[in-house]
Amino acid sequence: TSEWRAVADPDGPNGWALAETAGDPTVSRFPLCIAERAVGRDLDATLRFKAVSGTRAQVAGLIFRAQSANDYYFVQANALDKTVRLYRMEKGKRNQLARKDAPIDAGKWHSLRIVAANDHFEVALDGKPLFEVTDRSLPQSGAMGVITQADSVTHFGSLLLSPPQPR
């Protein structure tokens, strides 16, 4: 089960952050917090996050185009293995579309950005482009949200959304 709550964070927006606090170390556990009213297809989204702790993972992720709890895209940053990855979750199975090593420090705020336009995705961390990928498997609009993994305790700050700029 997931335990999402507002937690005090002096460096967070207005002194608060959103965190999943269950602490379950199961590696294949991906707690979701979906904003059902935040629906879109093409977007430019920047998520501020701070990895706080976790022995199996220290993941902050952004879900987009969610059709259900088992069908969506997500981009994740992991402070434990210092990677940023883009996945397609389909029928509950994770398929990695791209991966890049990146300097992600626990205890510091970072920004994770995804620009999704049609079948093209661009991912950046802290304003630095990491990779681009094309995938056509989920063209529909869907809900957005945040995701962690295993026993990650991550503070989520702001999520800024806008339409993507024409390429």
Side-chain angles (χ1 to χ4, degrees):
T1 62
S2 297
E3 294 177 22
W4 290 94
R5 57 183 54 140
V7 295
D9 185 321
D11 300 323
N14 298 317
W16 293 93
L18 175 68
E20 199 281 329
T21 60
D24 182 338
T26 306
V27 173
S28 60
R29 178 176 168 271
F30 295 94
L32 311 173
C33 184
I34 301 289
E36 294 176 4
R37 292 185 190 178
V39 174
R41 176 178 180 262
D42 296 344
L43 53 92
D44 183 340
T46 300
L47 175 68
R48 289 202 61 232
F49 72 91
K50 177 172 65 174
V52 175
S53 65
T55 58
R56 305 298 296 262
Q58 293 179 8
V59 166
L62 176 64
I63 296 171
F64 58 102
R65 295 188 188 173
Q67 307 301 302
S68 70
N70 294 311
D71 192 19
Y72 50 86
Y73 286 108
F74 72 104
V75 59
Q76 77 169 35
N78 189 338
L80 211 54
D81 70 5
K82 309 270 191 229
T83 62
V84 174
R85 303 168 192 246
L86 178 64
Y87 290 102
R88 169 72 166 97
M89 184 73 83
E90 189 170 13
K91 296 179 184 168
K93 302 239 189 270
R94 216 173 29 151
N95 177 36
Q96 182 175 287
L97 302 176
R99 174 192 187 277
K100 178 96 176 191
D101 292 342
I104 306 159
D105 296 320
K108 290 187 176 177
W109 285 95
H110 295 278
S111 64
L112 183 61
R113 183 179 180 200
I114 178 79
V115 179
N118 297 315
D119 61 359
H120 187 80
F121 306 96
E122 299 173 19
V123 174
L125 180 74
D126 296 330
K128 295 182 177 107
L130 295 179
F131 54 79
E132 296 183 30
V133 68
T134 300
D135 184 75
R136 294 177 172 87
S137 66
L138 182 55
Q140 302 92 329
S141 292
M144 298 187 63
V146 293
I147 186 170
T148 64
Q149 182 179 352
D151 62 347
S152 300
V153 174
T154 303
H155 288 187
F156 293 96
S158 59
L159 174 59
L160 304 175
L161 287 172
S162 65
Q165 297 301 311
R167 294 177 45 116

